[in-house]
Each structure stands twice: as structure tokens, then as C-alpha cells.
Amino acid sequence: MNQQTSTPQLQAAERTFTVLLSPTRRGARLARLLTMAHLDLWGLPSDSAAHIVAELAANATVHGRVTGRDFRLRLVVHADSRLRIEVTDTRGDRLPVAATPAPHAEGGRGLLIVEALADRWGVIPGPVPRKTVWAELGLAP
């Protein structure tokens, strides 16, 4: 498993995009669309990143939702051709766990998809009451 519980050493960012979105299905959809638009604007591939954002944003709206509090999407492109995706919600008491669901379960595969697509991913607890779920993708061809 490539999940990590601490943040990797950060390097200088070339490009950054950050937005607050409502913790609704519409907010999750907008997170995916904004990711695709910004990566396209920056001339970067967006397929895997869009899937990862869709799963993390959906988790933020279902498991991290607190009425009246938005979730944050942050995209950072580093000089070493690495994209970091961060989704921060306000339910730091509910940390995500990648687990295999029952064979006929209708949900529960989101973090397995993130794990399959990302080079690495993890969770940063805090500051209270928040948590940030992050994933990184290499952008080199």
C-alpha cells in the first residue's frame, strides 16, 4: 500500500490553484471540472487527476461534510513534474481508510481508485477540526 500518514518534503511550486467549494454533489462535480480546466490550461494531462479529485471530493461531501463549512481543493504543480492534489474538509475526527468492500457493495472503492492511480497518497490530520487527504502524480511522459 502506498498510503502515507505524513506529508512528504515539499518543494517550490510552479503553479497553484486553490478554491473553496460547498460540500455537495454539485461542489464535488465542480472540483473535478475545475481540475480538468486548470490542468488543460497549464498543458498537463488531466485524466488520472480528474478521477482522483472526483473520489476525494466525493469523500469530502459524504464523509467530511459539516453543515455550513466548505471543503478546499488545492492543486500544486511542482518544478520536478509532480502534481499534488489536496482536499481538506472539516471532519478531522473521521480519517479515511482504504478497505476492500464486499463484492456487491455499491460504494467503498474510492480510496482504492486513488491508490491505484496516484504514485502516493496520504492524510494530514489537523489543524483541528480539519484533515487533508492528498495524492501525488508524476507528470513526466
Side-chain angles (χ1 to χ4, degrees):
M1 182 187 297
N2 59 357
Q3 178 184 4
Q4 298 181 5
T5 54
S6 63
T7 182
Q9 189 175 28
L10 298 178
Q11 296 180 356
E14 283 189 348
R15 298 180 187 105
T16 302
F17 171 73
T18 304
V19 65
L20 290 175
L21 298 162
S22 65
T24 61
R25 288 178 16 179
R26 187 176 195 174
R29 180 174 180 265
L30 187 55
R32 181 181 56 81
L33 292 172
L34 287 169
T35 296
M36 292 170 53
H38 275 81
L39 293 179
D40 184 52
L41 179 70
W42 295 338
L44 300 172
S46 64
D47 289 344
S48 293
H51 288 301
I52 291 170
V53 168
E55 296 301 336
L56 296 183
N59 283 352
T61 64
V62 173
H63 305 293
R65 180 182 183 148
V66 174
T67 303
R69 296 184 182 171
D70 295 336
F71 74 92
R72 183 185 74 194
L73 168 66
R74 184 170 184 248
L75 306 174
V76 181
V77 178
H78 292 279
D80 63 354
S81 297
R82 189 171 36 97
L83 170 65
R84 183 176 172 98
I85 299 164
E86 297 178 349
V87 174
T88 302
D89 65 48
T90 53
R91 286 297 304 264
D93 58 323
R94 299 180 85 182
L95 297 180
V97 177
T100 304
H104 300 291
E106 292 184 18
R109 293 173 180 80
L111 289 177
L112 296 176
I113 292 170
V114 170
E115 188 171 273
L117 294 175
D119 294 331
R120 57 188 179 167
W121 73 280
V123 180
I124 304 169
V128 173
R130 297 174 197 79
K131 72 171 173 296
T132 299
V133 183
W134 58 269
E136 290 185 344
L137 291 165
L139 298 173

